[in-house]
Amino acid sequence: MKHKVIIDTDPGIDDAMAIHMAFADQSIDVIGLTSIFGNVTTHTATRNALRLAEMAYYRTIVAPGALVPLIRGAEPPADFVHGAEGFGTVPAATPAGSADGRSAAQFLCESCAAAPGEITICAVGPLTNLAAALSLDPNFVRNVKSIVIMGGSYAYHGNVTGCAEANIWNDPDAADRVFAADWDVTMVGLDVTERTQCTPDDFAFLASQSPQIGGFLRRAADFYFDFHQSKTGVRSCFMHDPSAILAITDAHLFGFEVVPIAVICDGEEIGRTALYEGQDRRLVKVATSVDNVAAREKFLGLVAHADDISEMRKAG
Ligand code: BDR
Ligand code: CA
């Protein structure tokens, strides 16, 4: 049985890595991409999601997400990490197709209602669309199979502030509602995503094996390497969003603690994922360790064949 997945995403360079890895993984059926602001605006995220699907000849629905956080103003896009158009210095391109007429929240609710208990939502951007879907349909929480989030930091530092990770910090109120809901949540945070890294040589390898998709990722990753090098002094990049996809297909690569999570929504620690002190929240599987050698190899192995698989899709 394939994993049926909807990826909620703000593409974004590492989002592109995750999406192309998922498209190349024949154990995954990506039934849709829902867009969200974060790395770019929601309009740009929608355009980029369409572009990624078209690049891989992957027929999937792209549904446009919320334009702003649930109850506060939007922060500016992270163009210093992902470039003004989202894929580093790769120029903007207009997709041939267009987005679905439904909002991301409607699409999420309708898809999960049509296949109750079958769909995993892999959220690799701010969690506004998930919170909106929770409000839209009281049955949504029951219809979803599971939620896997790239976001947060458990026993680790933040990347926007000393304690807050970007996806959670961009809409802390939405994230807290997602952690409060009665569903199966896995949190893949900086504790593990910063431990799996790729280098320029890795992307040169991908470009040599898969000139279209690997070549695109190599060009986009250059800008991402510049950002990481300015922060860490090392020319390698963190594999944030691909780690969340791997937590669906290869959960055995991760170690987990099972704890209730709250998001700090005010004050100096806004956006921090903290232990929830009460008794009335369902436990979250928080990834705290990763076999980073195997995780990197799995990513490289899948994307190395991305062109072959997309050519097969194009032909068939
Ligand atoms: C997360 O924030 C975004 O910049 C990345 O795409 C990733 O989802 C990492 O903190
Ligand atoms: Ca992302």
Side-chain angles (χ1 to χ4, degrees):
M1 268 279 275
K2 288 194 177 202
H3 301 277
K4 290 187 182 173
V5 178
I6 297 174
I7 306 176
D8 188 55
T9 175
D10 57 339
I13 298 169
D14 62 318
D15 302 71
M17 294 172 186
I19 289 166
H20 278 311
M21 182 180 75
F23 286 165
D25 187 336
Q26 289 176 302
S27 79
I28 299 181
D29 183 5
V30 182
I31 62 174
L33 302 173
T34 49
S35 64
I36 193 64
F37 58 84
N39 296 329
V40 289
T41 64
T42 302
H43 291 306
T44 303
T46 306
R47 180 200 69 192
N48 287 355
L50 283 163
R51 195 169 160 213
L52 293 171
E54 289 175 6
M55 199 184 296
Y57 302 101
Y58 203 100
R59 284 170 183 269
T60 197
I61 289 169
V62 174
L67 300 178
V68 290
L70 267 195
I71 57 176
R72 58 184 86 217
E75 297 293 338
D79 55 358
F80 53 98
V81 186
H82 298 271
E85 302 294 340
F87 297 142
T89 57
V90 176
T94 307
S98 45
D100 203 73
R102 292 165 289 181
S103 70
Q106 284 171 321
F107 172 70
L108 287 165
C109 292
E110 287 179 18
S111 305
C112 294
E118 292 182 22
I119 297 174
T120 294
I121 300 169
C122 185
V124 295
L127 297 173
T128 320
N129 291 332
L130 267 67
L134 281 170
S135 301
L136 188 64
D137 177 3
N139 293 320
F140 179 57
V141 73
R142 275 191 296 282
N143 288 337
V144 168
K145 178 180 181 193
S146 59
I147 306 288
V148 178
I149 293 167
M150 187 285 127
S153 174
Y154 179 59
Y156 205 62
H157 53 70
N159 62 359
V160 179
T161 68
C163 59
E165 182 279 329
N167 288 340
I168 305 296
W169 179 83
N170 267 306
D171 195 346
D173 313 286
D176 193 57
R177 290 188 197 183
V178 169
F179 286 116
D182 183 17
W183 50 9
D184 178 344
V185 178
T186 299
M187 173 177 133
V188 182
L190 299 177
D191 308 70
V192 293
T193 66
E194 289 201 358
R195 295 215 161 92
T196 303
Q197 299 185 21
C198 282
T199 64
D201 282 352
D202 290 330
F203 284 91
F205 164 75
L206 292 178
S208 73
Q209 300 300 302
S210 218
Q212 294 303 317
I213 290 169
F216 161 76
L217 291 177
R218 181 174 62 83
R219 286 194 302 283
D222 255 354
F223 192 90
Y224 205 45
F225 285 128
D226 289 344
F227 168 75
H228 283 78
Q229 191 168 11
S230 74
K231 293 282 169 200
T232 65
V234 179
R235 202 158 181 79
S236 65
C237 67
F238 302 140
M239 301 303 284
H240 297 299
D241 294 351
S243 301
I245 300 285
L246 289 174
I248 299 171
T249 55
D250 296 80
H252 62 278
L253 297 181
F254 298 87
F256 297 96
E257 276 190 41
V258 183
V259 291
I261 293 289
V263 178
I264 311 287
C265 290
D266 296 296
E268 277 188 5
E269 294 200 327
I270 188 165
R272 181 162 84 85
T273 43
L275 261 188
Y276 180 67
E277 302 289 352
Q279 303 291 318
D280 55 341
R281 279 201 179 182
R282 188 156 157 177
L283 303 180
V284 172
K285 280 178 267 173
V286 178
T288 53
S289 63
V290 59
D291 179 344
N292 56 357
V293 174
R296 172 179 159 277
E297 278 172 7
K298 178 87 194 250
F299 169 76
L300 294 175
L302 283 168
V303 179
H305 294 107
D307 280 9
D308 298 340
I309 291 169
S310 69
E311 282 303 321
M312 271 166 38
R313 266 194 300 262
K314 185 183 176 188

